Amino acid sequence: MSGRTSFTPQIDETALRCVAQARILYADTDKMGIVYHASYFRYLELARVEMLRSEGLPYTWMEAEGLALPLTEIGVSFTSPGLYDDRISIHAALSRVTHVRVNFQYRVVVEPGHRAATPNAEAVELLRAETRHCCVRRDSGRPAAMPEALVERLRAIQSLGRASARMPGGPTVAPSEDG
Amino acid sequence: MSGRTSFTPQIDETALRCVAQARILYADTDKMGIVYHASYFRYLELARVEMLRSEGLPYTWMEAEGLALPLTEIGVSFTSPGLYDDRISIHAALSRVTHVRVNFQYRVVVEPGHRAATPNAEAVELLRAETRHCCVRRDSGRPAAMPEALVERLRAIQSLGRASARMPGGPTVAPSEDG
Amino acid sequence: MSGRTSFTPQIDETALRCVAQARILYADTDKMGIVYHASYFRYLELARVEMLRSEGLPYTWMEAEGLALPLTEIGVSFTSPGLYDDRISIHAALSRVTHVRVNFQYRVVVEPGHRAATPNAEAVELLRAETRHCCVRRDSGRPAAMPEALVERLRAIQSLGRASARMPGGPTVAPSEDG
Amino acid sequence: MSGRTSFTPQIDETALRCVAQARILYADTDKMGIVYHASYFRYLELARVEMLRSEGLPYTWMEAEGLALPLTEIGVSFTSPGLYDDRISIHAALSRVTHVRVNFQYRVVVEPGHRAATPNAEAVELLRAETRHCCVRRDSGRPAAMPEALVERLRAIQSLGRASARMPGGPTVAPSEDG
């Protein structure tokens, strides 16, 4: 029936850095006792804005340029259920930067010891995701090319992940607070 | 960077039927003035449960059997922005049924005349999506095979879409109320 | 400690009419197995816009006038827990209309037979609420007086509830679809 | 029409401490360009759980005791609109503790310099709120009395706010990360 066998994004794990942490609330759960799938999307937004902010590029800067980066595609694979009071770490990377498109990749995990319910010796992966965005003008909603300076800054952020991946000891995991 | 060029699901449009309608609220929008991407997921849930209910298979029936169908994967392609007060129609179909897995496909559209902001002569497609679910036991969260009778009922619902697609005049579009 | 003993709004039940119905989704529930309190607020918004629309006053009309009605206060009393798959009826009324302020009152109930989990012979009240709104200009966010014509239309809608309350047989309960 | 003139809670400001901080996301905003009122409720939940956790009383401990604290009443007064990228500080206090009931009071503010959009020299208050909770058994949902030890711990937390209010220099404002 379906021509595709999977929406699981092929994540380049070596490029990911921990860019945000958050605590799962009752607000995020459903009656199955686990995190409702749609609750994760605000955490992915949190990761995007904190990753950019930590590199000196707050999203409000894009807005001030008259630009926005609406989502055009999402692919998510839910690996295991998130639980109430889990302290989640959102690892993310810019995986593609052109003048008109940007892709982010994500991996949400509960690091060892961060599951309140049943202390976990190993990291538990909750999901892998990739989001695709296009650049539009805020006033018209029409596609727009990002200025060269912005593209260069985004590419610098993109290469940070790759650089850390090449460092002995693997990627830098810098726990960053929520907000 | 990414091994995949797109998460756009390959929808079998001829199998889709309109299973739910809803009105976009302020709650669904963001400061870009359009529907926030994550707001659509509750409408996809609405479509799933109303499609099953309309065929005499309320989701609570599955719960009573001790089973649940958590999401394992999502692929979405956002075609054009949804606007406040849009009356959206969610077309959906069961696209795959095995003893352990179920897939749904969706197309969310604003039918002609259903865009309050600027009356639309043509249908406007907002998104295409596919969700993948696995069957688990509610008590343990472990994968479980659905009983044969349930699989047969789901396959009957799946074939409804295909049957209507073969009828002269194309698929039956039966607007069904929200809820 | 607190100078107030209760936030329970004093609802004029005779003025309420059923203005919207909706079905509780997994998205609305939390791990306690009941509706998460914040999930109700989008249903109250649905009730407001559908009540106004049904009287020929879509909220987009206010927007076109350059006006908005942001919330300034909320008082809610949760009477009993809402459950998954409950078909809820939202009864509402305009309880106050001045040139600069508008109040709505609400009562959310599961009418007899509308609780899927355990069929209810009697109506079950889930909550009582009142919201207060002020009129502002959309461009500046500054308080603004509504034009006389708008105030008159709102007062006509307000008096509808009172009129039906005086009719033999009590208030008209006109189940209105969601959206 | 309404017997009550206001739902504004009478907050004991001297008892409040900053218990959580968070950043406003696109997910929180609506097309009016401000925070959608219902978006604040998850931040109030965050404040409750972080206040209790910081005093050594994680909410999961209550769950393990077979108890829950569902909301029974909410009163909120929205003072001024929250904006995208605001770094909000949620000040909270336990304002009432009995064996069967608990009240929390809150004040959400943007501290000086924490408004990204237009740097603010003065703190901007977004809202004041009070929530009332009753203690129930998780299995039955029936009202239950909290064990004496739990009541004493909650009262100790309650008095912390009062104590800090009596200290020279006023209440301790200890910015606590989100999560």
Side-chain angles (χ1 to χ4, degrees), chain C residues 72, chain D residues 77-81 125-128:
Chain C
T72 56
Chain D
S77 171
F78 298 96
T79 327
S80 60
E125 181 182 279
L126 305 188
L127 65 84
R128 289 164 174 248

Side-chain angles (χ1 to χ4, degrees), chain A residues 116-176:
Chain A
T118 52
N120 55 321
E122 310 268 313
V124 178
E125 181 181 279
L126 305 188
L127 65 84
R128 289 165 175 247
E130 184 168 334
T131 57
R132 290 156 190 260
H133 305 253
C134 68
C135 184
V136 301
R137 291 213 58 79
R138 292 176 69 205
D139 47 14
S140 64
R142 295 269 173 96
M146 287 186 274
E148 191 62 33
L150 178 55
V151 173
E152 278 170 22
R153 291 187 72 172
L154 290 169
R155 285 192 172 142
I157 296 172
Q158 180 183 11
S159 63
L160 276 178
R162 291 188 201 143
S164 67
R166 280 193 300 267
M167 291 196 310
T172 308
V173 177
S176 138

Side-chain angles (χ1 to χ4, degrees), chain A residues 71-73, chain B residues 8-14 16 35 40 44 76-83 86-91 105-112 114-115 120-129:
Chain A
L71 263 95
T72 55
E73 288 182 48
Chain B
T8 304
Q10 292 168 7
I11 303 294
D12 177 4
E13 282 190 51
T14 61
L16 300 174
V35 176
Y40 287 113
L44 302 190
V76 189
S77 171
F78 297 96
T79 327
S80 59
L83 302 182
D86 274 356
R87 182 158 180 81
I88 59 171
S89 299
I90 308 132
H91 301 249
Q105 295 189 338
Y106 318 80
R107 197 167 160 260
V108 178
V109 299
V110 182
E111 302 286 7
H114 286 195
R115 168 151 287 175
N120 55 322
E122 311 267 313
V124 177
E125 181 181 279
L126 305 189
L127 66 84
R128 289 164 174 247

Side-chain angles (χ1 to χ4, degrees), chain B residues 23-156:
Chain B
R23 185 78 74 163
I24 297 299
L25 299 176
Y26 258 75
D28 298 319
T29 61
D30 69 17
K31 76 182 283 255
M32 227 189 291
I34 62 177
V35 176
Y36 185 70
H37 58 279
S39 304
Y40 287 113
F41 293 104
R42 65 169 287 135
Y43 292 120
L44 302 190
E45 185 198 342
L46 177 68
R48 285 194 297 278
V49 298
E50 294 310 323
M51 180 169 65
L52 295 181
R53 189 196 318 280
S54 71
E55 299 302 331
L57 189 62
Y59 187 69
T60 46
W61 189 87
M62 288 210 59
E63 291 190 324
E65 292 283 302
L67 301 173
L69 284 174
L71 262 97
T72 55
E73 288 183 49
I74 297 178
V76 189
S77 171
F78 297 96
T79 327
S80 59
L83 302 182
Y84 174 65
D85 219 35
D86 274 356
R87 182 158 180 81
I88 59 171
S89 299
I90 308 132
H91 301 249
L94 267 166
S95 56
R96 184 190 184 205
V97 176
T98 76
H99 284 73
V100 292
R101 293 187 186 285
V102 173
N103 288 16
F104 290 86
Q105 295 189 338
Y106 318 80
R107 197 167 160 260
V108 178
V109 299
V110 182
E111 302 286 7
H114 286 195
R115 168 151 287 175
T118 51
N120 55 322
E122 311 267 313
V124 177
E125 181 181 279
L126 305 189
L127 66 84
R128 289 164 174 247
E130 184 168 334
T131 57
R132 291 157 189 259
H133 307 252
C134 68
C135 185
V136 300
R137 292 214 56 79
R138 291 177 70 206
D139 46 14
S140 64
R142 294 270 173 96
M146 287 185 275
E148 191 62 34
L150 178 55
V151 173
E152 277 170 23
R153 290 188 73 174
L154 289 170
R155 285 193 172 140

Side-chain angles (χ1 to χ4, degrees), chain A residues 47-61:
Chain A
R48 284 194 297 278
V49 298
E50 294 310 324
M51 179 170 63
L52 296 181
R53 189 195 320 278
S54 70
E55 299 302 330
L57 189 63
Y59 188 69
T60 45
W61 189 87

Side-chain angles (χ1 to χ4, degrees), chain C residues 114-142:
Chain C
H114 286 194
R115 168 152 288 174
T118 52
N120 55 320
E122 310 269 311
V124 178
E125 181 181 279
L126 305 188
L127 66 84
R128 289 164 174 248
E130 183 168 335
T131 57
R132 292 158 188 256
H133 306 253
C134 68
C135 184
V136 301
R137 291 213 58 79
R138 292 176 69 205
D139 47 14
S140 64
R142 295 268 173 97

Side-chain angles (χ1 to χ4, degrees), chain C residues 26-101:
Chain C
Y26 258 74
D28 297 319
T29 62
D30 68 18
K31 76 183 282 258
M32 227 188 292
I34 61 177
V35 177
Y36 185 69
H37 59 278
S39 303
Y40 287 114
F41 293 103
R42 65 169 288 135
Y43 293 119
L44 302 191
E45 185 198 343
L46 177 67
R48 285 194 296 278
V49 299
E50 295 310 323
M51 179 170 65
L52 296 181
R53 189 196 319 279
S54 70
E55 300 302 331
L57 189 62
Y59 188 69
T60 44
W61 189 87
M62 287 212 59
E63 291 190 323
E65 292 283 300
L67 301 173
L69 284 174
L71 261 96
T72 56
E73 288 183 48
I74 297 178
V76 190
S77 171
F78 298 96
T79 327
S80 60
L83 301 182
Y84 173 65
D85 219 35
D86 275 355
R87 181 155 182 84
I88 59 170
S89 300
I90 308 132
H91 300 249
L94 266 166
S95 56
R96 184 191 185 203
V97 176
T98 76
H99 284 75
V100 292
R101 292 188 186 286

